[in-house]
């Protein structure tokens, strides 16, 4: 791109500016041949953040007379002011700044034509020397997730981008020799010596149904077994007495959507009467929702995300999900929601229910998971053979309908007492059972059926074996093969009477765990919470085992001083930890070629990641530490002395208290939702180097900790928390690489 071309460049990305992509900006300067003076750039955030020439960023030599500086900024970045200067590489004098006004960059475009950089330097004899250098600018709209997923395929001469002198995306960098003294050798030999006990007991696989809700009463004498026999209701609904009015769905505003989950593009399908759906571009992490115009809604059409359509960024899964969810948003409803699972055994119902429960709880919605199998085992025992589930076993049918009704009544009672979302986990494989549940819920909550369908025999066989290994139903069966035969016979009994969902509001998850992705069918869905559910399900539909490593940045200078906020560099101990962390990552992820490193945009996080090589690095502003606002740079003693009201109010409620002109923990959780969505969507390991408040919130999601506990969660310095994600759930392991002082925030 030559002189003057930047202002009038082809704006083919215009429609994508708000999509949450990043701008890869490359500045080039030609015709500078002085080897003693190196071209630099200085200016506003995020290029450098200082007009101090001593902090200017050095440009990299591209050829004998060409220099380049590249960096990554959000597509909707703030105005960037900058200028070129030349000075010695290792000194600040002499320093010559280009003539003329500052250059202004907006949206990857300079506000004026690309003028040459004019420098007036001095020769050795003291004479003035005028040098005119041509300046070029090139920008490309890219997704950071796309870069992370495919960085090894990029051309070899792709230069690392630089923000504050630290690479954002590092490619093919050679491993430096370790200069660390001390216990490095032990670290290289054995990672296990650094393992420490985790504060939670989540260190082994847990059968998800065991941690669901217990019955209010293990006897439930107020319910007659005849009352729910054969899937019918007679009399009142037991202990649930208060009715709640639920607005009936308007068919004219209902939606039926089919989405292919492994996708790169969007096409519009034929419209069906009474159904509408429109794609709305929404960037991952962007709080702004672009609403469609009234005319665009009237055109209607189903959404189908199609792999043959025009290419989209790798984050398209979240973008398309947001589009589906946004179109189903109505004004936020004050109603209860029952998500009723449907599906044959060994289809991932309980796994899906547990993930959805954890996500909604973390967002602040009162959510509980009710597993009917647990109720059955408590009331009728865990040693029921396959004959108990025969479709011609009327006593078995009556007993199973009874425990389903018990669980449903407990869920409705809990909603009456203030609960918001109940997830009802059972096969619910016949229309008669589902009709029973809908009659019980009438006037009390809205029901959405969530059906899980899998046609991959390999996955089904794996799930069956896991079920026999982990389910309490086979805990007393010493012969694994006998248990396997019994469960397969039970499965055949369910298959004989299985009736797919065709009634009411429903979401069908079809073959989501296959290598080729799956399909999501959505019918008659509207409202805020159903929209959040669909949003989550669209982008979190794989079972690939992978570790997520969470660690705080190395100790910073402000940590040493006891000051909060700020953007200080690392202390000596922090620098040592950064080297130990790089060594650990090299050993732990040596076989994980597609892993990535995520940091915040604060330098203590970026500097901690800088010794790590061989993996792409992505900066998230959403991972920045909690904004302490007016308290930035203060110690807690200073806050207590100078701002006693702030100190006392926050002490009473750290979760909800918002610093003056700053954030609360709840604010942090809201801005971290896109990070959670991307972490769930990743199939490769991710290392997150962030800050205490941020990691408390992220850890609470994976460990399913209550919101009220988040401000007290222990996340020590210089410690790695490994979260293992997979089909068996979430497991935790901790490594302490060196001692560090816990810093409250």
């Amino acid at each position: 791109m030559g002189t003057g071309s930047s202002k009038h460049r082809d704006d083919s990305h215009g429609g994508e500016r708000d999509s949450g992509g990043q701008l890869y900006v490359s500045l080039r300067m030609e015709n500078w041949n002085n080897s003693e003076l190196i071209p630099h750039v200085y200016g506003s955030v995020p290029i450098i953040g200082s007009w101090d020439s001593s902090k200017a960023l050095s440009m990299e030599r591209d050829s004998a007379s060409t220099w380049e500086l590249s960096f990554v900024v959000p597509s909707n970045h703030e105005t960037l002011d900058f200028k070129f200067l030349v000075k010695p590489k290792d000194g600040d004098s002499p320093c010559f700044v280009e003539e003329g006004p500052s250059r202004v960059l907006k949206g990857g475009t300079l506000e004026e034509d690309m003028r040459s950089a004019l420098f007036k330097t001095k020769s050795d004899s003291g004479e003035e020397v005028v040098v005119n250098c041509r300046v070029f600018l090139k920008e490309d709209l890219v997704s950071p997730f796309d870069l992370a997923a495919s960085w090894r395929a990029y051309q070899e001469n792709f230069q690392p981008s630089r923000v504050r002198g630290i690479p954002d995306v590092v490619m093919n960098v050679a491993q430096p020799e370790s200069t660390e003294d001390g216990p490095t050798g032990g670290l290289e030999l054995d990672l296990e010596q650094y393992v420490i006990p985790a504060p939670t007991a989540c260190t082994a696989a847990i059968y998800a149904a065991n941690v669901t809700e217990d019955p209010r009463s293990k006897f439930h004498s107020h319910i007659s077994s005849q009352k729910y026999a054969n899937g019918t209701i007679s009399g009142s609904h037991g202990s649930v007495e208060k009715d709640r009015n639920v607005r009936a769905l308007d068919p004219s505003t209902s939606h039926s959507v089919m989405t292919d989950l492994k996708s790169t593009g969007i096409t519009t399908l034929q419209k069906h009467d009474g159904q509408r759906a429109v794609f709305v571009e929404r960037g991952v992490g962007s709080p702004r929702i672009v609403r469609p115009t009234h005319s665009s809604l009237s055109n209607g059409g189903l959404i189908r995300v199609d792999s043959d359509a025009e290419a989209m960024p790798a984050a398209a899964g979240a973008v398309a999900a947001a589009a589906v969810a946004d179109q189903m948003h109505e004004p936020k409803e004050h109603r209860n929601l029952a998500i009723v699972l449907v599906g044959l055994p060994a289809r991932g119902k309980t796994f899906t229910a547990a993930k959805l429960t954890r996500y909604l709880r973390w967002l602040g919605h009162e959510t509980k998971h009710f597993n009917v199998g647990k109720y059955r085992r408590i009331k009728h025992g865990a040693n029921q053979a396959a004959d108990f589930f025969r479709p011609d076993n009327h006593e078995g049918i009556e007993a199973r309908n009874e425990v389903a009704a018990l669980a449903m009544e407990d869920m409705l009672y809990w909603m009456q007492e203030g609960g918001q979302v109940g997830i009802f986990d059972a096969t619910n494989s016949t229309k008669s059972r589902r009709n029973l549940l809908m009659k019980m819920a009438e006037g009390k909550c809205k029901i959405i059926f969530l059906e899980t369908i899998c046609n991959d025999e390999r996955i089904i066989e794996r799930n069956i074996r896991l079920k026999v290994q982990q389910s309490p139903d086979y805990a007393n069966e010493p012969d694994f093969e006998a248990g396997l035969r019994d469960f397969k016979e039970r499965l055949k009994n369910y298959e004989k009477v299985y009736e797919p969902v065709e009634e009411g509001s429903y979401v069908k998850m079809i073959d989501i765990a296959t290598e080729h992705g799956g399909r999501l069918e959505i019918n008659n869905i509207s409202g805020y919470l159903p929209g959040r559910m669909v949003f989550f399900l669209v982008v979190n539909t794989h079972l690939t085992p992978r570790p997520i490593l969470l660690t705080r940045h190395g100790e910073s200078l402000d940590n040493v001083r006891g000051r909060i906020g700020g953007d200080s560099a690392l202390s000596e101990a922090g620098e040592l930890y950064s080297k130990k962390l790089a060594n650990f990552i090299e050993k732990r992820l040596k076989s994980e070629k597609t892993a990535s490193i995520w940091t915040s945009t604060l330098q203590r996080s970026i500097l901690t990641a800088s010794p790590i090589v061989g993996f792409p690095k992505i900066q998230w502003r959403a991972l920045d530490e909690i904004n302490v606002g007016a308290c930035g740079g203060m110690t807690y003693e200073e806050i207590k002395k100078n701002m006693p009201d702030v100190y006392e109010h926050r002490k009473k409620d750290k979760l909800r208290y918002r610093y003056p002109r700053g954030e609360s923990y709840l604010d942090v959780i809201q801005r971290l939702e896109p990070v959670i969505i991307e972490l769930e969507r990743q199939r490769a390991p991710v290392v997150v180097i962030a800050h205490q408040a941020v990691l408390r919130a992220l850890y609470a999601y994976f460990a399913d900790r209550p919101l009220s506990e988040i401000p007290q969660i222990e996340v020590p310095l210089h410690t790695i928390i490994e979260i293992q994600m997979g089909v068996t759930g979430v497991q935790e392991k901790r490594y302490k690489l060196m001692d560090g002082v816990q810093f409250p925030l």
Side-chain angles (χ1 to χ4, degrees):
M1 187 175 298
T3 304
S5 61
S6 174
K7 185 175 182 179
H8 304 291
R9 78 193 193 293
D10 176 17
D11 197 18
S12 59
H13 300 306
E16 302 177 37
R17 287 295 184 210
D18 296 322
S19 67
Q22 302 278 3
L23 281 177
Y24 175 79
V25 181
S26 173
L27 293 173
R28 295 171 65 89
M29 179 188 294
E30 291 187 355
N31 197 34
W32 183 262
N33 299 301
N34 189 330
S35 59
E36 300 297 326
L37 299 177
I38 307 300
H40 289 68
V41 175
Y42 73 149
S44 62
V45 173
I47 295 180
I48 177 61
S50 174
W51 287 100
D52 183 350
S53 61
S54 65
K55 297 181 180 179
L57 295 181
S58 172
M59 301 184 75
E60 301 291 333
R61 186 189 292 273
D62 194 45
S63 65
S65 61
T66 302
W67 301 77
E68 184 194 35
L69 176 72
S70 56
F71 52 91
V72 176
V73 293
S75 59
N76 58 347
H77 65 79
E78 66 259 37
T79 299
L80 308 179
D81 300 89
F82 67 95
K83 296 189 77 170
F84 296 100
L85 61 84
V86 293
K87 65 175 185 175
K89 182 176 182 180
D90 299 319
D92 296 322
S93 180
C95 176
F96 303 98
V97 180
E98 68 166 313
E99 300 294 316
S102 300
R103 300 172 186 268
V104 178
L105 186 72
K106 286 186 177 180
T109 307
L110 288 175
E111 286 200 327
E112 58 182 11
D113 286 342
M114 188 75 71
R115 70 179 190 273
S116 297
L118 182 66
F119 296 96
K120 294 182 179 180
T121 64
K122 299 289 186 180
S123 66
D124 293 339
S125 61
E127 296 180 357
E128 184 177 83
V129 177
V130 178
V131 181
N132 199 342
C133 299
R134 290 192 301 169
V135 174
F136 296 82
L137 180 142
K138 182 179 179 181
E139 57 87 9
D140 291 298
L141 185 68
V142 295
S143 163
F145 314 114
D146 188 40
L147 289 176
S150 59
W151 65 281
R152 291 184 183 275
Y154 273 70
Q155 55 203 33
E156 291 297 324
N157 63 352
F158 187 83
Q159 295 296 315
S161 57
R162 293 184 176 273
V163 176
R164 297 191 183 94
I166 304 298
D168 288 306
V169 182
V170 180
M171 303 181 184
N172 300 329
V173 179
Q175 174 74 36
E177 294 184 4
S178 175
T179 58
E180 179 187 347
D181 297 323
T184 308
L187 178 61
E188 292 177 345
L189 293 174
D190 183 14
L191 300 182
E192 293 300 314
Q193 66 173 297
Y194 292 91
V195 174
I196 61 174
T200 64
C202 185
T203 56
I206 297 175
Y207 188 60
N210 286 346
V211 293
T212 58
E213 295 304 309
D214 289 320
R216 284 189 299 118
S217 166
K218 293 187 178 181
F219 302 100
H220 286 78
S221 58
H222 64 280
I223 294 184
S224 167
S225 61
Q226 292 297 321
K227 179 177 174 183
Y228 299 103
N230 301 317
T232 61
I233 298 179
S234 60
S236 65
H237 293 178
S239 62
V240 182
E241 299 174 354
K242 296 182 181 179
D243 289 336
R244 297 194 177 192
N245 293 327
V246 178
R247 177 174 60 82
L249 290 176
D250 182 355
S252 65
T253 62
S254 65
H255 312 275
S256 182
V257 179
M258 181 167 63
T259 305
D260 285 338
L261 299 179
K262 191 168 184 179
S263 56
T264 56
I266 288 183
T267 55
T268 302
L269 299 183
Q270 182 180 0
K271 179 177 68 175
H272 292 255
D273 293 339
Q275 299 170 341
R276 58 180 171 80
V278 176
F279 175 78
V280 180
E281 189 80 35
R282 177 184 176 190
V284 178
S286 170
R288 185 169 66 84
I289 299 176
V290 182
R291 292 291 183 184
T293 62
H294 178 75
S295 60
S296 67
L297 286 177
S298 64
N299 291 334
L302 290 175
I303 294 177
R304 180 185 179 91
V305 182
D306 194 337
S307 59
D308 296 327
E310 183 179 354
M312 292 177 63
V319 174
V324 174
D326 289 344
Q327 281 306 296
M328 293 184 290
H329 280 10
E330 293 177 348
K332 192 169 182 178
E333 299 160 339
H334 299 284
R335 68 166 77 172
N336 295 318
L337 176 64
I339 300 172
V340 177
L341 275 294
V342 177
L344 291 168
R347 263 54 173 189
K349 296 184 300 299
T350 299
F351 175 82
T352 300
K355 287 189 72 172
L356 194 55
T357 300
R358 191 173 75 230
Y359 171 69
L360 293 174
R361 280 176 179 166
W362 186 77
L363 287 180
H365 303 294
E366 288 292 331
T367 306
K368 283 191 175 183
H369 180 184
F370 295 82
N371 180 269
V372 175
K374 184 174 185 179
Y375 277 67
R376 170 180 54 78
R377 285 185 285 272
I378 290 174
K379 189 166 182 65
H380 299 290
N383 300 317
Q384 300 295 336
D387 285 348
F388 181 78
F389 303 92
R390 286 201 332 263
D392 58 352
N393 183 344
H394 298 294
E395 290 184 359
I397 293 173
E398 181 179 333
R400 285 183 281 130
N401 282 336
E402 180 185 13
V403 292
L406 296 178
M408 188 68 175
E409 286 215 343
D410 277 2
M411 188 172 75
L412 294 174
Y413 179 86
W414 168 74
M415 288 180 175
Q416 177 182 309
E417 296 299 309
Q420 190 175 8
V421 183
I423 299 183
F424 190 82
D425 180 12
T427 56
N428 300 313
S429 54
T430 63
K431 288 183 179 180
S432 61
R433 164 70 70 82
R434 298 193 291 269
N435 286 336
L436 164 67
L437 301 178
M438 286 192 288
K439 289 177 181 177
M440 293 182 68
E442 187 175 353
K444 299 176 180 64
C445 69
K446 173 180 173 58
I447 281 186
I448 292 178
F449 294 112
L450 176 57
E451 185 176 14
T452 61
I453 300 172
C454 180
N455 299 304
D456 189 315
E457 293 298 331
R458 179 182 57 85
I459 293 176
I460 294 172
E461 180 66 22
R462 180 197 64 186
N463 289 349
I464 289 174
R465 289 181 171 274
L466 282 173
K467 188 87 170 181
V468 175
Q469 289 172 355
Q470 298 180 359
S471 174
D473 285 347
Y474 297 97
N476 297 323
E477 175 55 75
D479 187 346
F480 176 80
E481 293 300 324
L484 198 62
R485 290 192 296 272
D486 181 84
F487 187 83
K488 289 183 177 181
E489 190 64 30
R490 179 196 301 190
L491 181 56
K492 290 179 181 178
N493 289 331
Y494 275 104
E495 288 173 339
K496 293 174 183 177
V497 294
Y498 186 78
E499 297 174 291
V501 175
E502 295 176 347
E503 66 273 21
S505 301
Y506 64 78
V507 177
K508 290 176 181 276
M509 303 171 64
I510 304 172
D511 291 330
I512 62 164
T514 62
E515 295 178 357
H516 305 291
R519 191 169 79 252
L520 205 70
E521 292 183 7
I522 306 165
N523 183 70
N524 198 25
I525 299 291
S526 66
Y528 173 77
L529 279 176
R532 302 311 302 159
M533 178 188 74
V534 173
F535 180 24
F536 182 75
L537 293 175
V538 169
V539 297
N540 297 288
T541 52
H542 70 89
L543 306 176
T544 308
R546 77 279 187 198
I548 295 173
L549 305 178
L550 308 177
T551 184
R552 289 173 65 184
H553 56 80
E555 182 188 64
S556 71
L557 294 175
D558 278 344
N559 288 151
V560 176
R561 302 173 186 129
R563 301 194 178 278
I564 63 176
D567 192 14
S568 64
L570 299 179
S571 68
E572 290 186 5
E575 292 176 354
L576 178 61
Y577 177 68
S578 71
K579 297 172 185 177
K580 285 180 173 285
L581 177 63
N583 200 356
F584 177 91
I585 296 302
E586 179 193 4
K587 305 304 176 185
R588 176 63 183 86
L589 303 181
K590 60 184 178 181
S591 61
E592 302 287 353
K593 304 303 182 184
T594 58
S596 57
I597 314 297
W598 295 5
T599 71
S600 74
T601 65
L602 300 176
Q603 66 169 331
R604 56 190 183 273
S605 172
I606 298 170
L607 290 171
T608 303
S610 60
I612 302 173
V613 298
F615 301 103
K617 298 173 186 175
I618 299 172
Q619 295 179 11
W620 282 78
R621 191 170 298 279
L623 289 175
D624 285 0
E625 180 60 296
I626 186 172
N627 183 355
V628 297
C631 298
M634 301 175 69
T635 66
Y636 282 107
E637 284 302 316
E638 290 171 344
I639 296 173
K640 185 176 182 180
K641 178 180 178 180
N642 301 321
M643 307 173 72
D645 290 344
V646 169
Y647 185 86
E648 290 300 325
H649 287 150
R650 188 167 188 272
K651 184 178 179 180
K652 291 177 181 177
D653 190 355
K654 288 182 69 175
L655 177 68
R656 295 172 180 82
Y657 181 75
R658 181 178 289 126
Y659 281 104
R661 300 194 299 277
E663 291 181 302
S664 68
Y665 269 91
L666 290 181
D667 295 329
V668 172
I669 290 170
Q670 290 302 312
R671 67 167 153 95
L672 282 175
E673 185 187 5
V675 178
I676 288 295
I677 295 298
E678 274 303 316
L679 284 173
E680 286 279 14
R681 199 177 68 85
Q682 296 295 310
R683 294 176 183 267
V686 177
V687 180
V688 180
I689 303 173
H691 310 268
Q692 182 166 245
V694 167
L695 293 180
R696 281 172 168 167
L698 292 178
Y699 176 82
Y701 169 78
F702 292 113
D704 197 15
R705 297 280 288 273
L707 291 181
S708 59
E709 295 182 7
I710 289 180
Q712 286 77 42
I713 290 175
E714 182 183 0
V715 185
L717 281 170
H718 306 157
T719 302
I720 299 165
I721 302 174
E722 179 175 325
I723 304 294
Q724 187 69 39
M725 306 284 289
V727 68
T728 57
V730 177
Q731 299 174 45
E732 176 188 350
K733 196 173 189 179
R734 292 197 176 200
Y735 305 87
K736 190 174 185 63
L737 301 192
M738 55 187 285
D739 290 331
V741 179
Q742 176 73 351
F743 186 62
L745 188 63

